Amino acid sequence: MEIHRTSVGFDVHARSVVACGLDRSTGELFERRLTPDHQEILAWIGSLPAPVAAVYEAGPTGFGLARFLEAAGIECSVAAPSKLQRPAGDRVKTDVRDARHLARLLHLGQIVDVAIPSVEQEAARDLVRAREDCRGDLTTAQHRLSKLLLRQGIVYYGGNAWTGKHEQWLRTHRFEVPGLQVAYDAAFDAMLATLDRRGRLDQAITAMAADSVFTPVVGRLGCLRGVSTLTAFGLAAEIGDWERLSGRSIGAYLGLVPTEYSSGSTRSQGGVTKTGNSHARRLLIEAAWHHRAPYRPGRDLRRRWEAASPAARARGQAANRRLHARWARFDERKKRSVVANAAIARELAGWCWSLAVLDD
C-alpha cells in the first residue's frame, strides 16, 4: 500500500470548499478556503508536498470532484458520513474543523469510503430514482383525488381502483360548486400527468435494461420470482459493482440484518438496521413477498428463463424453490409475516448476488 506524504481533507459545499492538508513528515497543516472550481483545487493540491491523497464526505455535491482528481492522478476517496469516527464530547462543528478531521482520519487510515460510480452507472441510478420518486408522486396524487371524492361522500365500488374502468368512472363526476369542480379537475389532471410520466420512465428503463452494461445482470436476476425488468435494473444500477460484496455481506450492506445490543452474557437483537441503500432494500422486500405463494412459474417468469443462460436458469430455480420452502416453514411456525419477509429478503439478496457474479 502506497504511503502518501500529504493527506488532504475537503469540506465541500455548493459555493465553497474548505481544504486542509496534513504533512505526514513534519505534521504541518496547510489550510485554504477555495471555490468549487476543480482547476483551482487541483492547482492548490499541486503546491503541497507530494504524493497527495484526498478525501471528502459523500453528499449532494456528488462524485464529480473525485472523478476529476482521479483523472488527474490524485488518489481521492469519498467517505461514508455514517462511518466517520467523531469524539463523543465534540460539540463544535465548523467547516475548518471538519476538513481537519477528515485529513487526520485519512492520515490514520480510518476512512471507510463509498464506491464511486461511473458516469454511466450514476445516470442509470438517477433514472431508477426518478422512477421511484414518480411512484411516490403518483400515490400522493391518487390519495388526494380519492380523498377529495370521499369528503363529498363518493366512493368507488366497481372493483379494483386505478384501473381503466375506474378512470372512466372518475371522468363522469361533475360538481355544481365552481371551486370544487376546479379542484377536482386539477387533482385529476395531476394524477394523469404523473401516470404518463411514470409510463415514459418505465419505457426508458426497459430500453436501457435491454441494451446497456447492465443487460447481463438484469437477465440473470430475472430468473428469480418477483424480480422483473424494473426490479432487476433497479438493483443492478443501485449496487453497481457486485464484486465488492459477498453473499454474507450484502445483507448487512442493504440494512437487512438485525440490530444487536449485547454485553457480557446478554445478547439482544431487534429489527433490521435499515442502513445502506433504501431503494434496493425496498425492491428486495417487495420481491420477497412473491415467494410466499405456491411455486407455479408463470408465463412471464418462463419467458425470462428462456432469455437467460442454463446456469442462471438452474440457479434461479433453486433459489425460487428454497425461498418458497422457507416461507412455508415460517407459516407453519406462525411467524409474523413482516418478520419472516425480512428474513426472506435477506436471503434473496444473497441469491441476487450469486446470480449477478455468475459467469455465463
Side-chain angles (χ1 to χ4, degrees):
M1 180 178 178
E2 184 180 0
I3 302 298
H4 297 88
R5 175 170 176 178
T6 306
S7 301
V8 177
F10 292 115
D11 191 62
V12 182
H13 297 278
R15 296 178 177 84
S16 66
V17 175
V18 175
C20 176
L22 173 61
D23 190 327
R24 179 184 296 271
S25 300
T26 65
E28 183 180 1
L29 289 177
F30 307 91
E31 295 178 347
R32 180 74 63 85
R33 183 175 291 273
L34 306 165
T35 68
D37 181 69
H38 292 174
Q39 293 294 342
E40 181 182 348
I41 294 173
L42 181 62
W44 179 77
I45 291 178
S47 67
L48 302 176
V52 177
V55 65
Y56 65 94
E57 289 187 50
T61 54
F63 302 95
L65 176 58
R67 294 195 191 102
F68 175 80
L69 293 179
E70 289 284 354
I74 306 297
E75 181 180 330
C76 183
S77 303
V78 180
S82 61
K83 299 292 186 178
L84 292 177
Q85 302 177 18
R86 296 185 181 277
D90 190 353
R91 295 292 186 270
V92 178
K93 183 183 185 304
T94 65
D95 293 348
V96 174
R97 289 170 67 94
D98 286 347
R100 289 176 186 169
H101 184 60
L102 286 171
R104 291 192 179 101
L105 289 179
L106 182 60
H107 168 74
L108 296 172
Q110 298 296 315
I111 292 293
V112 178
D113 57 339
V114 300
I116 301 176
S118 65
V119 175
E120 294 77 11
Q121 181 187 342
E122 190 170 17
R125 187 180 294 176
D126 288 339
L127 177 60
V128 297
R129 291 181 180 180
R131 204 274 181 186
E132 177 77 359
D133 293 339
C134 186
R135 184 187 69 91
D137 293 343
L138 179 59
T139 301
T140 300
Q142 290 172 340
H143 283 178
R144 286 173 178 167
L145 183 61
S146 63
K147 298 312 179 280
L148 187 149
L149 292 175
L150 181 60
R151 289 194 296 271
Q152 308 306 315
I154 302 173
V155 180
Y156 179 66
Y157 294 103
N160 293 330
W162 313 116
T163 61
K165 183 179 178 182
H166 184 211
E167 182 179 329
Q168 293 298 322
W169 178 80
L170 290 171
R171 293 180 183 276
T172 62
H173 294 297
R174 293 292 182 270
F175 301 98
E176 296 181 358
V177 180
L180 180 59
Q181 183 62 47
V182 172
Y184 179 77
D185 290 341
F188 188 56
D189 290 344
M191 189 271 292
L192 292 179
T194 308
L195 189 63
D196 181 66
R197 176 158 54 98
R198 189 188 67 175
R200 294 196 304 272
L201 290 171
D202 287 350
Q203 291 177 1
I205 290 175
T206 302
M208 186 174 288
D211 184 19
S212 68
V213 295
F214 303 102
T215 302
V217 174
V218 171
R220 293 194 293 269
L221 294 181
C223 295
L224 297 166
R225 294 173 78 190
V227 185
S228 59
T229 300
L230 294 178
T231 300
F233 186 80
L235 290 172
E238 291 290 354
I239 296 178
D241 182 13
W242 296 78
E243 297 287 349
R244 60 196 170 95
L245 303 170
S246 68
R248 294 178 61 88
S249 66
I250 190 171
Y253 173 76
L254 296 175
L256 290 170
V257 297
T259 57
E260 183 171 344
Y261 301 90
S262 300
S263 179
S265 60
T266 302
R267 184 171 185 245
S268 176
Q269 290 184 310
V272 295
T273 60
K274 295 184 179 180
T275 58
N277 193 303
S278 60
H279 183 208
R281 182 171 60 253
R282 185 190 67 78
L283 292 175
L284 288 168
I285 289 291
E286 289 188 354
W289 287 109
H290 289 77
H291 292 272
R292 191 177 193 180
Y295 182 38
R296 300 188 184 94
R299 181 179 56 187
D300 292 339
L301 181 57
R302 291 184 182 277
R303 187 182 299 117
R304 298 200 298 269
W305 283 350
E306 294 174 358
S309 67
R313 183 163 59 248
R315 186 163 297 182
Q317 291 171 349
N320 294 333
R321 287 191 293 269
R322 174 174 167 79
L323 293 174
H324 173 65
R326 287 205 66 196
W327 251 121
R329 289 197 296 271
F330 281 136
D331 286 338
E332 289 174 0
R333 293 163 49 192
K334 300 188 184 303
K335 191 77 171 179
R336 284 182 58 200
S337 59
V338 291
V339 176
N341 192 66
I344 297 296
R346 180 166 59 250
E347 183 167 341
L348 177 60
W351 283 105
C352 288
W353 173 86
S354 175
L355 283 164
V357 299
L358 180 68
D359 293 329
D360 290 333

